Each structure stands twice: as structure tokens, then as C-alpha cells.
């Protein structure tokens, strides 16, 4: 994917959607009393917009599916926001167009408990709001191949806080794992769940290639139902004719795998070549990971007509002086 020239990379020029209006990002501010700030009572999404230089548009990847997941989170956290799925998609295209991005971007919707009220833990009594920002975004993991470690932190279990939703507070779990991994010199953490099965990365789903099959942790193992995960499952089955198995994965299976890769909106598809200082297979990106990665990159930038329905075009508007 290319990064276009001439975009507004200075965030001071960007707009946000805040309290029902498009306002300068710098003016999108909340009060220190805001409930979500104290308790993590919000849900968010991470969506990518990929700049297609040839067509002069930003392709927003699987916009609808991201908002479907956000709305499920709203249901759980009793976040009553005044926008339908269609309206959320429209607001997003509008903001991306108004921000006139000509490069790859990250889109961050946030539905949160906006009540300026602390010492109240009753969701049903708290007002909610929705905000949206879009910012330029490049490589998230900082490397094309990953050296990972098994985290000493365990994934939150469903009866604690459901990992199947992108709940703000839950990310402390991911952040502890990512911080531990990076302070120890690794690129990313692999997190196990409460019963010791392999769960996911701090912000990515995990896939293992073993004996020609693709295996990924089942959703009941406290993983986020990733949109990239879904994309890769479909591509592997349809385009490569590979069998995909969703099941619990033992930790030891990782060390013995033919290939491992992580998937996520920010991370794309990135091969894991080392785990806990042991090489995975011969320590290089494997052939299935490489094929799927290439296919995925073409699709997200709108270069594969068969999957163009997963891409929503946003046309940058001219920036007026
Ligand atoms: N797991 C976690 C914990 C995540 O935060 C993410 C990023 N949203 C993913 C998996 C990948 O999900 P997606 O492909 O929808 O970005």
C-alpha cells in the first residue's frame, strides 16, 4: 500500500465528529468527570482506510462489520447512542471525506458513557455519546515479521468481561501484555486464556498452519471475533482451498507449528517467526502466510474486483484555504 502525498498529516487540521457535529479535533474535549475516563465504560472500533493512489480514494475496509460489532458492544454496556448502523457508516464516510486524507488512515469510533458523574456504577442511569476520529496511520507493529513471547498475563474470561467485544476497560489486559513483551525486547505478546489455551495477540487473532491445515482459536476461548480473522478464513477456504479449523489450541502446538501468523486491522497479516526465542519452523515467513498476506493486501486497497464489496470508497475533498 502506498502513502499518498499532500495530505493533512498535521492533526491540528483534522476534524472529529463529536456531540453530533463535525468540529476541529482540538475542540473535541471531555470533562474530567466523564464516566468512561474513570471506569473504561465504552466500546470502540479500529477501522482502516487504505489509500488507493490510482483511483484517488480511501477504501474503508469492512465498515459495516465494524459497526455491527460496535453496536453489539453498545447493547452489552447499555450505550444508547442515537445513530443507526447506516447512519454510523454515513458519518464515517463524511468525516473521512471532510478530512481529505490522501494516505492510509485509522478510523476510531468510540461509544462511551459520557455522564459527568462518578461513584455511580449503574449503566442504566448513565448518559451515552458517540465520537469519531480519523488519523493518518502506517505500519502498526513496526516489523514485517514478528518475534513474540508467551505473556505471563492471562486473557480476561467471559464471566469477568467478555473478550468478544471491544470494551475500552478490557484493553488494560492487552496493554499489560504488550508492555511486558516489548519491555523484554519482543514485538508482540501471545496471550493464553484462563485454562492455558492459546488465545490471541494483544490486538490480533492468531492462526497456526499445521500439516496443510489452518487452525485458529475458537471464539469460545475468549478471543475477539476479528474482522481480519473472518477475511482470512474466507480467503483460505475459497481462494486456496485450505481446510480451516476453529478449535482450542494448546501452547505446545505453537512451538511445533509449520507457520504462525497474527491478523488484525492494525496488524494486517503478519507472520510470527519466533516464539519465546525459538524459531517457528525454519524461522522465516511461511508460504501460506505469504500467499494469504498478498491476497489480503490487494483486497484491502480495492485492487481485487471480486472483493470490492468489502471496501467503501471515500473521496478526499479539496482542502480550502
Ligand atoms: N484481538 C484483539 C484483542 C484486538 O484488539 C483486535 C483488533 N481489533 C483483534 C483481535 C483483531 O480484530 P480485527 O481483525 O477486527 O481488527
Amino acid at each position: 500500500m502506498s502513502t499518498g502525498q499532500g495530505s493533512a498529516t498535521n492533526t491540528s487540521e483534522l476534524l472529529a465528529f463529536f456531540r453530533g457535529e463535525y468540529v476541529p479535533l482540538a475542540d473535541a474535549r471531555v470533562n474530567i468527570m466523564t464516566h468512561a475516563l474513570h471506569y473504561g465504560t465504552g466500546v470502540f472500533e479500529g477501522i482502516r482506510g487504505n489509500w488507493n493512489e490510482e483511483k484517488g480514494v480511501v477504501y474503508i475496509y469492512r465498515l459495516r462489520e465494524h459497526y455491527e460489532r460496535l453496536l453489539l458492544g453498545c447493547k452489552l454496556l447499555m450505550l444508547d447512542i442515537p445513530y443507526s448502523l447506516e447512519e454510523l457508516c454515513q458519518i464515517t464516510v463524511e468525516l473521512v471525506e471532510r478530512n481529505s486524507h490522501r494516505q492510509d488512515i485509522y478510523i476510531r469510533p468510540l461509544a462511551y458513557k459520557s455522564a459527568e458523574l462518578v461513584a455511580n456504577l449503574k449503566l442504566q442511569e448513565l448518559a451515552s455519546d458517540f465520537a469519531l476520529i480519523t488519523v493518518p496511520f502506517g505500519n502498526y507493529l513496526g516489523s514485517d515479521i514478528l518475534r513474540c513471547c508467551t505473556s505471563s498475563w492471562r486473557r480476561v474470561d467471559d464471566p469477568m468481561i467478555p473478550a468478544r467485544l471491544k470494551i475500552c476497560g478490557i484493553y488494560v489486559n492487552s496493554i499489560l501484555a504488550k508492555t511486558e513483551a516489548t519491555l523484554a525486547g519482543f514485538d508482540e505478546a501471545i496471550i493464553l486464556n484462563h485454562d492455558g489455551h492459546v488465545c490471541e495477540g494483544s490486538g490480533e487473532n492468531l492462526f497456526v498452519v499445521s500439516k496443510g491445515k489452518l487452525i485458529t482459536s475458537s471464539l469460545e476461548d475468549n478471543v475477539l471475533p476479528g474482522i481480519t480473522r473472518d477475511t482470512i478464513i474466507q480467503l483460505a477456504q475459497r481462494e486456496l482451498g485450505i481446510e480451516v479449523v476453529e478449535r482450542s489450541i494448546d501452547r505446545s502446538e505453537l512451538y511445533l507449528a509449520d507457520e504462525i501468523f497474527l491478523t488484525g486491522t492494525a496488524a494486517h497479516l503478519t507472520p510470527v517467526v519466533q516464539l519465546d526465542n525459538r524459531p517457528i519452523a525454519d524461522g522465516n515467513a511461511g508460504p501460506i502466510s505469504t500467499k494469504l498476506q498478498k491476497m489480503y493486501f490487494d483486497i484491502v486497497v480495492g485492487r481485487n474486483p471480486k472483493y470490492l464489496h468489502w471496501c467503501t470508497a471515500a473521496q478526499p475533498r479539496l482542502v480550502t484555504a
Side-chain angles (χ1 to χ4, degrees):
M1 257 168 292
S2 57
T3 301
Q5 299 295 313
S7 319
T9 47
N10 185 347
T11 52
S12 69
E13 294 168 25
L14 294 175
L15 298 175
F17 182 80
F18 185 66
R19 296 187 178 148
E21 288 176 58
Y22 299 92
V23 299
L25 184 55
D27 296 343
R29 292 171 184 275
V30 295
N31 187 288
I32 190 65
M33 294 278 284
T34 304
H35 197 271
L37 194 56
H38 295 254
Y39 301 118
T41 44
V43 289
F44 68 98
E45 273 305 317
I47 310 174
R48 267 198 190 255
N50 303 299
W51 173 242
N52 183 315
E53 180 81 47
E54 212 180 307
K55 302 217 175 113
V57 296
V58 169
Y59 278 122
I60 306 172
Y61 191 61
R62 300 192 72 175
L63 179 60
R64 250 187 112 76
E65 289 88 337
H66 279 283
Y67 277 119
E68 281 167 1
R69 189 167 65 188
L70 184 100
L71 288 173
L72 290 178
C74 287
K75 194 167 179 184
L76 189 92
L77 285 194
M78 295 185 171
L79 290 156
D80 194 10
I81 59 168
Y83 308 107
S84 65
L85 178 63
E86 304 305 330
E87 286 167 335
L88 290 167
C89 293
Q90 279 162 16
I91 290 166
T92 305
V93 173
E94 178 70 22
L95 184 65
V96 173
E97 294 194 345
R98 286 191 188 215
N99 276 333
S100 282
H101 296 288
R102 288 180 174 80
Q103 64 206 144
D104 297 338
I105 57 166
Y106 191 68
I107 301 166
R108 164 56 53 82
L110 174 68
Y112 63 106
K113 285 297 182 190
S114 57
E116 291 168 8
L117 188 65
V118 288
N120 183 331
L121 302 186
K122 290 168 275 182
L123 290 172
Q124 68 275 22
E125 292 180 7
L126 301 166
S128 311
D129 208 347
F130 171 78
L132 179 67
I133 56 174
T134 71
V135 290
F137 196 55
N139 185 326
Y140 167 68
L141 289 168
S143 174
D144 295 338
I145 47 169
L146 302 175
R147 293 178 56 250
C148 296
C149 65
T150 307
S151 182
S152 67
W153 297 97
R154 293 290 173 103
R155 196 84 184 117
V156 286
D157 196 17
D158 192 81
M160 299 169 184
I161 318 176
R164 66 183 70 235
L165 300 164
K166 280 183 81 74
I167 297 171
C168 295
I170 223 173
Y171 275 76
V172 173
N173 185 228
S174 284
I175 288 164
L176 288 170
K178 178 80 177 191
T179 304
E180 176 189 52
T182 50
L183 284 177
F186 296 98
D187 300 309
E188 185 53 287
I190 307 284
I191 310 173
L192 307 181
N193 68 13
H194 64 289
D195 66 4
H197 285 121
V198 176
C199 199
E200 56 188 345
S202 67
E204 307 87 14
N205 291 113
L206 180 141
F207 285 83
V208 170
V209 178
S210 177
K211 300 192 176 82
K213 283 187 197 164
L214 197 53
I215 307 162
T216 192
S217 316
S218 54
L219 297 179
E220 295 74 25
D221 273 337
N222 296 311
V223 304
L224 186 81
I227 289 159
T228 322
R229 176 185 184 274
D230 177 70
T231 300
I232 295 303
I233 291 174
Q234 293 198 44
L235 293 181
Q237 289 171 334
R238 276 199 220 146
E239 305 295 334
L240 299 183
I242 294 177
E243 186 185 342
V244 181
V245 186
E246 295 180 56
R247 64 159 172 83
S248 293
I249 300 174
D250 284 335
R251 175 176 181 172
S252 58
E253 290 184 77
L254 297 185
Y255 301 112
L256 307 176
D258 296 324
E259 299 179 38
I260 300 177
F261 60 84
L262 299 180
T263 63
T265 296
H268 297 303
L269 185 164
T270 310
V272 176
V273 297
Q274 254 187 43
L275 176 63
D276 299 330
N277 292 312
R278 294 160 181 248
I280 302 304
D282 65 0
N284 293 301
I288 294 181
S289 314
T290 309
K291 263 191 221 162
L292 285 167
Q293 186 188 51
K294 192 182 169 311
M295 235 185 276
Y296 172 78
F297 278 137
D298 271 353
I299 290 170
V300 297
V301 82
R303 268 193 234 117
N304 185 336
K306 186 169 167 190
Y307 292 98
L308 204 53
H309 59 282
W310 279 342
C311 302
T312 303
Q315 193 102 47
R317 293 183 194 160
L318 288 179
V319 184
T320 48

